[in-house]
Structure formats: structure tokens, C-alpha cells
């Protein structure tokens, strides 16, 4: 009976709470000024929104004022590429049940919106079609949402940035000077929420303005299929808002499509269970016999949209809605039982951190360590079970055992008795 109750409690805690919570990134300038809060990912099938927000995290520096970024508000939905795994989150700001899986997320983002330091909120979206003031066809019409600055009303009473229409007008003017195609023109859509739109009265931006907080939405078009183009427009609009707010910033790239396209494919690295580090760029789409825990696994890394998604017996590493690789687990008993190992790398003795990725030109050798067993995945030598104190070259390991598509990165696994302790990835240059 007790066991049944524990299982029942576990089921309800899982059923009534989202698995992944959003993360807040604060970029503060040395000179004080206004604070812009940018929110991406409220709808999981709108990648232009959350990848643009991730670009802010990864590539922008603030010199004056503050930029606060939530790139992954509805993270469970983002990694599954669905609008709302537990229903439409952007319709839960007027009322939300405590039993709703999104409850804590909505309550926490409300607190952030109401933070006295926040001066303006932008909620990023990808919307269908191309908004036009007059009907042209099924794609270009007043009911469309794409390529528009969305306001709930023309202005609100507040000390700063209360004239929402004028803000949107200035931003649209700037964006429209940088169009990729003429029909991508940005317009202003005033939903007149209080008078005409009961559904929008449940939205994040309407909640904000009813609390005296200026808020707008930026919608790029879902009909634009190229992700880099949507991110391009989002970033141009966000930068225009920062300029209006006198927020001084720097970015480490040129705001051009080929550059954005390349940066969107930079997935960085991931640290799994605190004892494995892997490079996600150019990684194979499927990796078998990967040491993982049977019950639960953790992942952290350099990309703000990085997550683990359990899929059947496998684990997918996700960056937003992009599946980077699938890991077929080799279930092991795992614990962090070693901080470093000694390796002879191209003739030089080095102390190598566990986990890490280490560059090797010609060869490597792992120094023997008492009670530890080394397994270099793909390397075999008859009669040898512990592969320490063996000089190994790239030719000694078949390419099919590499982690990457180019056959340069290989796994060195470290065990102690029955426990997997960690991994060093050897990267042949």
C-alpha cells in the first residue's frame, strides 16, 4: 500500500508540473540605464522566436542599460516543436489553475515581468501569414499575425515607454529599411484587446500592460521558411527597441544572413551527468552504447536551448526543436569518482581534467592509475582488458567508433570496479 501511494504521488507530481523550467540571463552594462526583458519560446512551434532570443544570450554584450533574456519560456514545448504541450501558455495569464503543469512557469514569469527594474517587455513569436491592414488574399490580410509589431492598445499610463503605437512605429520603420524581400514588410497590428479580443485578454502582453508595464509582441512570419531570415528580422526589431531605450550594445557578428545561418549551426558542447563532455558540432546523428544512468540523466552546456529528451529507450540531445544526436544508452552505475588523469599526449605528460575534450596530433597514452580501468572505445588488443599504458594512434581505432562525422573524436572511458567514473574525448587534429 505504501509503495502504491509513493507511485501515485510521483505520477501526480509528474502530471501536474512541467519538466523543464525557463532560465533567465541578465546582461548588465557598466553604465546604468533602462532594462529590456525579451521572452522567447512561449509557443514551442515558433523557432524564430526562441533562436533569436538564444542569439542574444550567446552573442550580445551590453555596455549601457540592461538586457534580460528568457529564451525558453515553454521549454517542454520548444524541444517537442508543439505550440503548447499542456495547452496554449499564452492564454493562461488571466487565470491558471494550480493543477496546470504550466502553473509555476506562468507565476514565475509574472514575477519577472513585475520586477521594478523591468521597463519594457518584448514577447517574441512566429505568426501565420503577413499582416496587412486590408484584405489581399488568404496570406496577406488583417487576420494574419506575421511580420508585425503587435500592441494591445495605443498607449498605457506609465512613466516610460507608454506610447506603444509610437514605439512600434519607430521600430517598424527601422526594420522596413532592411527587408530581404519587399513583401516581408513589417506593419503594426493593434488588437484593441480590451474592446475586441477576449482571447488576447489572457495573454502575456495584456497581463503586463494591465499591471502598468509596457509590452509588445514581435511576430515574424511562419510563411518564411528560412529560420535565419526569421532570426534576422527578430534581431533587427530587438536592436531597434534597444536603440529607442538608449540601451548600448555590441554583438560579435555581422547581422547578415550567411553569418546568422552559420551561427545557428553552432551548438557548442554538452556536459552529461557531470562526467562526460562532448562537442555537439558535427556530431554523428546516432551514437550507440553510450554510458548513461538508467533512471535519470542531466545535461548542461554552452547553448541556452540545450536539453535532453527521452524517446523510447533512447535519449535525444536537443537544441530547441532541432535534434542534434540520439544516444542509445549502455546503462551503467555511474558516479563522479575521478577529477583528472595523466596522459602522455604527443610525447608530453599532461594532467587532463575529467570530463574534457583534449587535442591530440599523433598519439596518446593514458598513464596507469591504481584500481582504475581504461576503455578506449573502438581500440582492441588481444588479451588486454585495461587499455592504460598503451600508445594509441588514430589508425588504431576504426573510424566507425568516432563521435563525429569526420572520424576525429574518440571516447576514453574510465571505470573503477563496477562504476563508470567519466570520459575524456580525444580529438585528433
Amino acid at each position: 500500500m505504501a509503495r502504491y501511494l509513493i507511485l501515485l504521488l510521483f505520477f501526480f507530481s509528474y502530471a501536474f508540473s512541467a519538466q523543464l523550467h525557463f532560465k533567465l540571463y541578465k546582461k548588465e552594462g557598466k553604465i546604468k540605464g533602462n532594462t529590456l526583458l525579451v521572452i522567447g519560446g512561449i509557443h514551442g512551434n515558433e523557432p524564430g522566436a526562441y533562436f533569436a532570443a538564444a542569439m542574444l544570450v550567446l552573442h550580445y554584450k551590453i555596455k549601457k542599460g540592461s538586457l534580460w533574456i528568457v529564451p525558453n519560456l515553454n521549454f517542454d514545448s520548444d524541444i517537442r516543436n508543439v505550440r503548447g504541450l499542456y495547452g496554449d501558455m499564452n492564454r493562461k495569464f488571466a487565470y491558471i489553475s494550480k493543477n496546470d503543469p504550466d502553473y509555476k512557469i506562468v507565476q514565475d514569469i509574472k514575477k519577472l515581468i513585475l520586477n521594478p527594474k523591468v521597463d519594457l517587455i518584448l514577447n517574441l513569436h512566429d505568426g501565420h501569414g503577413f499582416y496587412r491592414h486590408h484584405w489581399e488574399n488568404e496570406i496577406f490580410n488583417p487576420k494574419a499575425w506575421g511580420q508585425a509589431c503587435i500592441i494591445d492598445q495605443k498607449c498605457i499610463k506609465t512613466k516610460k515607454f507608454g506610447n506603444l503605437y509610437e514605439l512600434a512605429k519607430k521600430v517598424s520603420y527601422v526594420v522596413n529599411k532592411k527587408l530581404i524581400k519587399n513583401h516581408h514588410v513589417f506593419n503594426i497590428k493593434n488588437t484593441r484587446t480590451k474592446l475586441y479580443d477576449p482571447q488576447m485578454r489572457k495573454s502575456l502582453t495584456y497581463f503586463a500592460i494591465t499591471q502598468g508595464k509596457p509590452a509588445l509582441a514581435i511576430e515574424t512570419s511562419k510563411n518564411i521558411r528560412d529560420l535565419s531570415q526569421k532570426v534576422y528580422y527578430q534581431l533587427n526589431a530587438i536592436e531597434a527597441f534597444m536603440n529607442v531605450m538608449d540601451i548600448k550594445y555590441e554583438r560579435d557578428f555581422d547581422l547578415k544572413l550567411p553569418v546568422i545561418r552559420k551561427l545557428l549551426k553552432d551548438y557548442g558542447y554538452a556536459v552529461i551527468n557531470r562526467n562526460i563532455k562532448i562537442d555537439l558540432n558535427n556530431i554523428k546523428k546516432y551514437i550507440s552504447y553510450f554510458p548513461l544512468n538508467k533512471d535519470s540523466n542531466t545535461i548542461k552546456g554552452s547553448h541556452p536551448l540545450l536539453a535532453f529528451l527521452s524517446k523510447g529507450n533512447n535519449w535525444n540531445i536537443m537544441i530547441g526543436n532541432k535534434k542534434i544526436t540520439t544516444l542509445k544508452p549502455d546503462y551503467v552505475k555511474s558516479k563522479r569518482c575521478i577529477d583528472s588523469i595523466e596522459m602522455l599526449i604527443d610525447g608530453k605528460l599532461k594532467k587532463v581534467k575529467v570530463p574534457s575534450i583534449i587535442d591530440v596530433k599523433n598519439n596518446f597514452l593514458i598513464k596507469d592509475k591504481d584500481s582504475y580501468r581504461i576503455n578506449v572505445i573502438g581500440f582492441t588488443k588481444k588479451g588486454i582488458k585495461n587499455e592504460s599504458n598503451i600508445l594509441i594512434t588514430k589508425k588504431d581505432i576504426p573510424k566507425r567508433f568516432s563521435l563525429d562525422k569526420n572520424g576525429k573524436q574518440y571516447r576514453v572511458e574510465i571505470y573503477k570496479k563496477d562504476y563508470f567514473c567519466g570520459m575524456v574525448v580525444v580529438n585528433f587534429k
Side-chain angles (χ1 to χ4, degrees):
M1 182 65 180
R3 184 182 177 188
Y4 171 78
L5 287 172
I6 290 170
L7 288 171
L8 194 62
L9 287 170
F10 173 80
F11 168 78
F12 279 111
S13 67
Y14 174 83
F16 294 113
S17 62
Q19 292 175 284
L20 299 173
H21 200 277
F22 68 81
K23 188 170 182 180
L24 170 65
Y25 297 83
K26 292 184 178 181
K27 291 179 176 279
E28 311 277 356
K30 290 183 179 179
I31 304 170
K32 290 185 178 180
N34 296 311
T35 298
L36 173 63
L37 171 61
V38 175
I39 300 168
I42 195 168
H43 289 147
N45 62 344
E46 299 177 6
Y50 47 81
F51 276 101
M55 290 280 281
L56 295 175
V57 175
L58 292 168
H59 300 290
Y60 281 71
K61 180 181 178 181
I62 302 302
K63 300 169 72 177
K64 179 184 177 183
S66 299
L67 177 63
W68 293 5
I69 311 148
V70 173
N72 55 348
L73 183 64
N74 193 352
F75 210 6
D76 281 4
S77 299
D78 298 342
I79 63 173
R80 292 170 174 84
N81 199 38
V82 296
R83 182 177 177 88
L85 187 62
Y86 315 113
D88 190 339
M89 186 183 284
N90 205 30
R91 299 295 180 267
K92 298 181 180 182
F93 284 82
Y95 169 80
I96 184 169
S97 167
K98 289 184 178 180
N99 291 329
D100 193 306
D102 290 329
Y103 178 78
K104 180 168 174 51
I105 291 172
V106 171
Q107 295 304 106
D108 287 350
I109 198 66
K110 281 183 175 181
K111 290 176 187 175
L112 187 57
I113 288 168
L114 298 178
N115 188 305
K117 292 182 179 179
V118 172
D119 296 301
L120 180 70
I121 300 106
L122 295 180
N123 194 16
L124 310 185
H125 289 269
D126 299 339
H128 73 272
F130 296 85
Y131 175 74
R132 295 291 187 266
H133 298 300
H134 303 287
W135 182 273
E136 296 177 23
N137 54 48
E138 290 183 355
I139 296 176
F140 299 88
N141 62 68
K143 292 185 178 181
W145 291 83
Q147 298 302 100
C149 287
I150 313 296
I151 56 175
D152 291 284
Q153 57 196 52
K154 276 197 169 183
C155 59
I156 64 171
K157 290 182 179 179
T158 185
K159 291 180 180 179
K160 292 188 286 187
F161 312 119
N163 196 330
L164 304 178
Y165 178 80
E166 288 301 319
L167 281 173
K169 188 176 178 181
K170 289 178 182 178
V171 168
S172 296
Y173 175 78
V174 171
V175 175
N176 286 333
K177 289 166 68 177
K178 303 175 181 180
L179 298 179
I180 301 163
K181 296 181 179 180
N182 289 336
H183 71 274
H184 291 173
V185 63
F186 253 70
N187 286 302
I188 302 167
K189 180 168 183 168
N190 184 352
T191 58
R192 300 181 185 181
T193 300
K194 187 175 181 179
L195 296 175
Y196 299 113
D197 201 329
Q199 285 302 309
M200 286 298 291
R201 287 176 214 153
K202 305 172 186 178
S203 70
L204 183 151
T205 55
Y206 191 69
F207 165 78
I209 66 168
T210 57
Q211 303 299 312
K213 289 281 189 174
L216 303 90
I218 303 172
E219 299 252 8
T220 49
S221 178
K222 288 182 178 178
N223 294 70
I224 298 174
R225 300 302 180 189
D226 187 337
L227 176 62
S228 63
Q229 292 185 15
K230 288 188 276 196
V231 170
Y232 168 82
Y233 286 126
Q234 291 280 5
L235 293 178
N236 272 294
I238 294 164
E239 288 187 5
F241 274 104
M242 286 197 286
N243 289 333
V244 169
M245 297 176 71
D246 195 31
I247 295 173
K248 305 297 182 185
Y249 61 90
E250 291 178 349
R251 50 177 149 75
D252 60 11
F253 67 99
D254 291 329
L255 194 49
K256 296 178 180 178
L257 284 179
V259 180
I260 294 172
R261 217 167 269 134
K262 184 177 179 181
L263 291 176
L264 286 172
K265 294 178 181 178
D266 184 359
Y267 307 127
Y269 66 86
V271 176
I272 300 168
N273 296 331
R274 297 176 59 241
N275 58 11
I276 300 170
K277 182 177 181 179
I278 55 175
D279 183 356
L280 297 180
N281 293 314
N282 207 38
I283 195 168
K284 286 181 176 177
K285 292 296 182 183
Y286 183 85
I287 300 169
S288 59
Y289 301 106
F290 199 89
L292 292 173
N293 298 322
K294 192 166 187 177
D295 297 326
S296 64
N297 294 280
T298 63
I299 191 166
K300 292 183 178 181
S302 55
H303 202 289
L305 299 178
L306 172 69
F308 245 155
L309 179 60
S310 177
K311 203 77 171 176
N313 294 323
N314 297 328
W315 288 80
N316 292 337
I317 295 181
M318 308 294 297
I319 299 289
N321 66 345
K322 296 182 180 182
K323 183 172 72 171
I324 308 305
T325 188
T326 297
L327 305 180
K328 180 182 178 181
D330 177 19
Y331 291 124
V332 294
K333 290 190 291 183
S334 174
K335 67 178 180 180
R336 188 173 168 80
C337 46
I338 189 169
D339 294 321
S340 64
I341 56 173
E342 284 192 331
M343 293 181 66
L344 195 66
I345 299 172
D346 299 320
K348 294 182 180 179
L349 188 63
K350 294 184 179 181
K351 189 176 183 180
V352 176
K353 185 180 177 182
V354 178
S356 64
I357 302 170
I358 189 77
D359 289 341
V360 174
K361 186 178 180 181
N362 297 311
N363 53 58
F364 69 94
L365 178 150
I366 299 98
K367 287 285 189 178
D368 186 30
K369 193 173 178 69
D370 290 343
S371 70
Y372 287 91
R373 179 174 64 85
I374 302 299
N375 184 18
V376 180
I377 302 301
F379 174 83
T380 56
K381 194 170 183 178
K382 192 173 180 179
I384 300 294
K385 292 184 178 181
N386 186 349
E387 291 161 353
S388 60
N389 289 331
I390 299 174
L391 193 67
I392 299 173
T393 68
K394 185 180 176 183
K395 291 180 180 179
D396 295 324
I397 314 173
K399 187 177 179 179
R400 69 178 185 275
F401 291 99
S402 67
L403 289 170
D404 67 316
K405 296 172 186 175
N406 294 334
K408 293 183 177 181
Q409 298 183 8
Y410 297 88
R411 295 149 49 184
V412 176
E413 297 181 358
I414 306 160
Y415 293 84
K416 186 174 184 179
K417 295 182 179 178
D418 294 331
Y419 287 96
F420 170 73
C421 295
M423 182 187 295
V424 170
V425 174
V426 171
N427 179 40
F428 284 101
K429 301 300 285 183

